[in-house]
Structure formats: C-alpha cells, structure tokens
C-alpha cells in the first residue's frame, strides 16, 4: 500500500479539464486543474510564473487594477502540501466546453505567479469547491507586476489540497 507523508494513506485527487480565455488571443485554452473540496479559490498558473516548472502554462491574463488607480491585488495560499502566490486577474472567461455545449462565465481568478511544492501531479491550477467562507482573501500588492518585481500580498492558509 502506498503512503504519503507522515504515514497517512494517499488521497484520491480529482482533476478536471477547465477552459480559460487567453488574454493575448481571446481563444479558449484547456488546462487540467485539481478539484479541492477543502478550499474555495480558483487559480491557474500564468505564463509569468517564475518557478511553476511542470505547472507552467502559456496563459497571459491581465491583472485586476493594472490599468486604473485601484491597485493590483495579491494572494498567498498555503495548503497541507504546497503553496502558491498570485494576483487577481481581470475578468476572464472560464468554464467547460464540449462539442455541443459551452458552460462559460466571466470571473475573477488568481493567476499563480510562483509556487512551492504545489505542482506535482499533471495539473495547472486548482478549483476550490468548498463554501465561500473558506475563500482566501486578496490584499494590496507590495510590488507591482508591471515593474518586473515579484508580487506578494498578505499571508493566508488554505484548505486541504493534496497538490
């Protein structure tokens, strides 16, 4: 029998394919994301992720507050295994697309810009399905993404993603 860290049995990870609108072309691009019932954030790695390695994507998404005076918003999330930092994106089309059916909505999500031990299983983000009280908050960024610096915000600890 396989065992994870601390002699706990391995958890069963559910991964689903979610479509994201790429900001540069407007086309919908499919990426697998892990489904997590212990958290409530939607996040996906973006092209500018500094260390996403196996979780790297070609998504180029605009940042919330980048073009006005409201300021960019950052998020840091830590799970039982792994963590990621990111920024709130502009509204982007996200959803599920099939040959005959398209379930898509425009939403804000977290664009993952760095990670530590989060990407380790053939997925590029996370779809948290827990109740809204578990949603991690955004905070004003301490550095700007447009200045080339590493964006960071307030600390948060999330649910039990096994990513």
């Amino acid at each position: 029998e396989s065992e994870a860290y601390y002699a706990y049995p391995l958890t069963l990870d559910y991964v689903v394919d979610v479509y994201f609108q790429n900001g540069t072309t407007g086309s919908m691009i499919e990426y697998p994301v892990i489904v997590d019932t212990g958290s409530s954030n939607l996040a996906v790695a973006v092209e500018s992720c500094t260390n996403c390695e196996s979780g790297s994507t070609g998504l180029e998404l605009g940042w919330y507050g980048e073009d006005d005076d409201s300021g960019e918003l950052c998020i840091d999330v830590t799970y039982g295994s792994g963590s990621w930092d990111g920024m709130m994106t502009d509204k982007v089309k996200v959803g599920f697309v099939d040959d005959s059916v398209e379930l898509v909505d425009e939403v804000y999500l977290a664009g993952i810009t760095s990670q530590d031990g989060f990407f380790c299983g053939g997925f590029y983000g996370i779809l948290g399905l827990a109740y809204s009280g578990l949603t991690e908050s955004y905070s004003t960024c301490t550095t700007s993404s447009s200045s080339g610096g590493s964006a960071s915000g307030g600390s948060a600890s999330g649910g039990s993603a096994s990513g």
Side-chain angles (χ1 to χ4, degrees):
E1 177 178 321
S2 297
E3 291 186 339
Y5 301 107
Y6 311 110
Y8 289 109
L10 288 173
T11 59
L12 181 59
D13 294 332
Y14 290 99
V15 176
V16 296
D17 294 330
V18 176
Y19 283 82
F20 299 89
Q21 180 183 19
N22 194 0
T24 57
T25 65
S27 62
M28 299 294 283
I29 302 173
E30 177 184 46
Y31 288 106
V33 298
I34 192 167
V35 175
D36 181 29
T37 58
S39 69
S40 296
N41 289 84
L42 172 60
V44 65
V46 293
E47 186 175 57
S48 60
C49 185
T50 56
N51 65 348
C52 282
E53 296 143 4
S54 67
S56 293
T57 72
L59 285 175
E60 294 182 19
L61 305 174
W63 303 121
Y64 175 87
E66 182 177 43
D67 297 328
D68 58 31
D69 293 332
S70 62
E72 295 171 333
L73 298 176
C74 291
I75 185 171
D76 303 328
V77 180
T78 302
Y79 300 98
S81 58
S83 64
W84 55 264
D85 301 331
M87 296 174 57
M88 180 187 276
T89 67
D90 282 336
K91 276 194 171 180
V92 61
K93 289 183 180 177
V94 175
F96 302 95
V97 178
D98 194 347
D99 292 337
S100 59
V101 178
E102 187 173 300
L103 299 171
V104 176
D105 201 358
E106 281 193 286
V107 299
Y108 295 104
L109 62 112
I112 298 173
T113 56
S114 68
Q115 62 90 37
D116 182 19
F118 181 70
F119 294 113
C120 59
F123 57 91
Y124 300 88
I126 187 165
L127 173 60
L129 295 180
Y131 55 94
S132 62
L134 291 179
T135 303
E136 297 298 343
S137 300
Y138 290 88
S139 61
T140 304
C141 297
T142 56
T143 60
S144 171
S145 66
S146 55
S147 67
S150 172
S152 64
S155 262
S157 68
S160 58
S162 50

